[in-house]
Amino acid sequence: MGETATLLTEVFFQTIGYWWVIVPTIFLGLIVGGIPGFSAANTIIILMPLTLAMDLQTGIVFMVSLYCAARMGAGIPAILVNIPGTAGAAATPLDGYPMAKAGKGQQALSISFVASCIGGLLTTLIALATMPLLARVGFYMHSVEMIVVMLFGISLIAAIAARDMLKGLIAGFFGLMIGSIGTDVVYATPRGTMGFLELYDGVPLIPALVGLFAVSEAFIIIEKRMIISEDAEPKHPNWHDTVEGALTALKRWWHIIWTSLIGLVIGVVPGAGASIASFVAYQQSRTFSKTPERYGTGHPEGLIAPESANNGVTSGTLVPLLVLGIPGGATAAIMLVVMQFHGVSFGPTLFERNPEVGYGMFMAMAISYLIMFLTILPLSRYMSHVTTVPTIYLAPLIISFTLVGAFVPREYMFDLYLALAFGVIGYIARRTGYHVAAILIGVILGPLLERYFLLALRKSGGDVTVLFSSTIGNILWVGLVASLALPVLMQWRRNRQNREVATE
């Protein structure tokens, strides 16, 4: 124990000596994460010659700090202009954007930054202490268990549909239908591709994200003078709102802890990702809230849940990479390539042969979150003024940058036209009262649910009862039913209490 503490201390001081790498990389990551289509993964790919030329420790610090900052940066445009930078921030606008429209953009950014930093830092320390246990989660989460996890996220459609059941369900099923486009998992038969080869791999996520949120939002805001509501007074930069937002998040410290743990556990499962974690965390946060009706109106807890969860994922994805040599996501896979180039061998013996590498990655992540808290939180007072920029200038910039982002991942002109088509769909949906978030949930989680469902059926020879054959899966089924029934029971209880008060 004493040797480990000494080693961690040495690694800490060694890693903090790379502050000159971490600070500029953090600001690069914020920019990268804030532009849809640009992510830590493709940025590291673009800069791979640079990372290969660096020494191992510098490369690790660079990649990890870029990863953390990009995850946080994706929430900035999601809050200010209703445009999530990545799919992992798709649940952030549900409550972040209403706060910005109400003139509380600065508080919303502060809440987001505090939740992200605390959630990321906490889960990094937990992952560092419990790596052997967390590494086993991936072995227990098979297709059956993942089906229930997906349903947790998809059930958020029902929560969105609570305001208008018919429109909410139509939007959700429309998204699931779009998500089924492409070749099927078993026989590779094209479905709904309309002859376009570009759709054989399914509907690309980034053009769908850009169109449904960014392009449609640009069409909406151009009809107004500013993003901020007419009845909300524009504020000058002040420290009071920054501190107020930070205190709002800190008062909900327990909420940050348990939603970030959701992100950590889901992040350990290879292929799960931040989008699933953020949707599940938001759904669970709303389910166990005493005021679920406030979600979607600018409720702080509705902003804390997805931001702490998707930053909790960052440390989770490193666990299977380091302990098992299995990358937990796209960014971790690229890290694997770079580190193997430098001669790193992954597996259970990594912390015996190269402990400075294994512990160094988590230490770099922890230090990155600490530095982000100190450097980025004060900037919220200036970032929030994006909402006061006249939309006649803002809308063309949004469309230009996001269409570039739609083009970058696959470099197909088809994706630009697809983003514009989704923009029209999103605009019509917003104008007619359908929630674009429900559509996006279907697009993201629908194909994953189908893949795991068919995999489970193939393993069981077509026996549907396999869905209830796992102990962990059955526990998750009970949790899913409870999370769906609980809001109904709570609403029934509140209505009953109101009737009793009215009759007295």
Side-chain angles (χ1 to χ4, degrees):
M1 185 68 181
E3 293 180 0
T4 303
T6 303
L7 177 62
L8 289 175
T9 304
E10 292 177 358
V11 172
F12 173 79
F13 285 108
Q14 181 183 0
T15 306
I16 206 169
Y18 288 91
W19 63 268
W20 55 275
V21 176
I22 297 175
V23 173
T25 305
I26 284 174
F27 288 100
L28 173 63
L30 290 175
I31 296 170
V32 164
I35 303 175
F38 290 85
S39 64
N42 54 30
T43 304
I44 294 174
I45 290 176
I46 294 170
L47 299 176
M48 186 170 286
L50 178 62
T51 57
L52 296 179
M54 296 175 180
D55 64 82
L56 177 59
Q57 194 63 31
T58 305
I60 289 175
V61 170
F62 172 79
M63 291 187 294
V64 169
S65 56
L66 180 67
Y67 182 31
C68 297
R71 183 73 72 201
M72 179 185 285
I76 297 173
I79 292 170
L80 297 180
V81 289
N82 200 19
I83 304 170
T86 62
T92 302
L94 294 176
D95 280 278
Y97 188 57
M99 290 185 72
K101 288 175 65 178
K104 297 181 179 180
Q106 188 173 336
Q107 291 97 320
L109 287 174
S110 296
I111 291 171
S112 169
F113 293 156
V114 172
S116 298
C117 290
I118 294 179
L121 179 60
L122 175 68
T123 51
T124 299
L125 298 176
I126 293 174
L128 189 61
T130 61
M131 265 187 293
L133 295 176
L134 286 173
R136 298 178 187 175
V137 173
F139 289 111
Y140 294 119
M141 298 296 285
H142 302 300
S143 52
V144 172
E145 291 80 9
M146 288 306 297
I147 287 171
V148 192
V149 172
M150 299 295 164
L151 290 175
F152 268 105
I154 290 178
S155 64
L156 180 56
I157 294 174
I160 293 173
R163 299 177 188 176
D164 191 326
M165 183 62 69
L166 181 60
K167 288 186 175 181
L169 294 178
I170 288 174
F173 282 111
F174 179 67
L176 292 171
M177 184 173 65
I178 292 175
S180 68
I181 293 174
T183 54
D184 78 273
V185 179
V186 179
Y187 300 106
T189 304
R191 303 176 305 190
T193 60
M194 295 168 283
F196 291 109
L197 293 176
E198 294 87 350
L199 293 176
Y200 272 45
D201 288 334
V203 175
L205 179 57
I206 296 302
L209 178 71
V210 165
L212 288 173
F213 278 89
V215 177
S216 66
E217 184 64 28
F219 292 160
I220 290 290
I221 65 174
I222 198 65
E223 299 173 0
K224 302 182 293 183
R225 190 173 63 88
M226 289 188 302
I227 290 177
I228 193 170
S229 302
E230 297 293 336
D231 55 347
E233 288 292 331
K235 298 180 180 179
H236 294 290
N238 62 85
W239 288 108
H240 177 267
D241 289 345
T242 299
V243 174
E244 180 185 345
L247 291 176
T248 299
L250 291 173
K251 288 177 182 177
R252 293 164 172 81
W253 58 272
W254 174 243
H255 204 74
I256 296 175
I257 291 174
W258 73 264
T259 51
S260 65
L261 290 176
I262 290 176
L264 173 62
V265 174
I266 292 178
V268 172
V269 181
S275 56
I276 297 173
S278 60
F279 286 134
V280 171
Y282 187 92
Q283 185 265 350
Q284 290 296 291
S285 175
R286 187 183 186 278
T287 297
F288 292 101
S289 173
K290 295 180 180 179
T291 55
E293 69 281 356
R294 294 180 59 189
Y295 281 69
T297 63
H299 189 37
E301 292 181 2
L303 176 57
I304 289 172
E307 284 298 285
S308 57
N310 63 38
N311 281 271
V313 168
T314 54
S315 55
T317 55
L318 296 185
V319 173
L321 171 67
L322 297 175
V323 178
L324 306 173
I326 302 172
T331 307
I334 300 164
M335 291 181 183
L336 173 69
V337 173
V338 173
M339 294 171 71
Q340 282 182 335
F341 174 83
H342 287 283
V344 177
S345 297
F346 295 91
T349 59
L350 172 66
F351 290 88
E352 297 176 4
R353 295 193 307 266
N354 297 312
E356 69 282 355
V357 173
Y359 292 121
M361 292 192 75
F362 286 103
M363 199 62 71
M365 185 169 285
I367 292 173
S368 295
Y369 277 115
L370 284 173
I371 293 178
M372 278 193 287
F373 184 82
L374 298 174
T375 57
I376 306 305
L377 182 61
L379 296 181
S380 62
R381 60 190 298 226
Y382 304 108
M383 294 178 182
S384 63
H385 276 251
V386 170
T387 57
T388 63
V389 176
T391 55
I392 194 172
Y393 304 116
L394 192 59
L397 287 174
I398 289 173
I399 293 176
S400 301
F401 277 103
T402 54
L403 286 182
V404 171
F407 174 79
V408 165
R410 303 199 304 175
E411 298 183 356
Y412 291 167
M413 284 299 296
F414 177 84
D415 289 352
L416 292 180
Y417 303 131
L418 192 64
L420 290 173
F422 272 107
V424 174
I425 293 173
Y427 177 77
I428 295 173
R430 292 175 190 271
R431 276 294 173 208
T432 52
Y434 293 89
H435 211 300
V436 293
I439 301 176
L440 188 65
I441 292 170
V443 174
I444 294 174
L445 299 185
L448 296 173
L449 177 64
E450 180 191 22
R451 185 178 301 115
Y452 285 113
F453 179 70
L454 293 178
L455 181 60
L457 289 183
R458 291 193 68 181
K459 288 181 177 179
S460 65
D463 186 4
V464 182
T465 58
V466 70
L467 299 178
F468 308 99
S469 62
S470 164
T471 302
I472 297 177
N474 290 337
I475 293 173
L476 292 173
W477 276 116
V478 172
L480 176 62
V481 173
S483 66
L484 292 175
L486 187 61
V488 177
L489 293 175
M490 291 177 66
Q491 184 62 44
W492 175 80
R493 183 180 178 183
R494 282 194 293 268
N495 292 339
R496 182 180 178 182
Q497 290 175 345
N498 292 336
R499 287 195 299 267
E500 289 176 354
V501 171
T503 54
E504 291 178 358

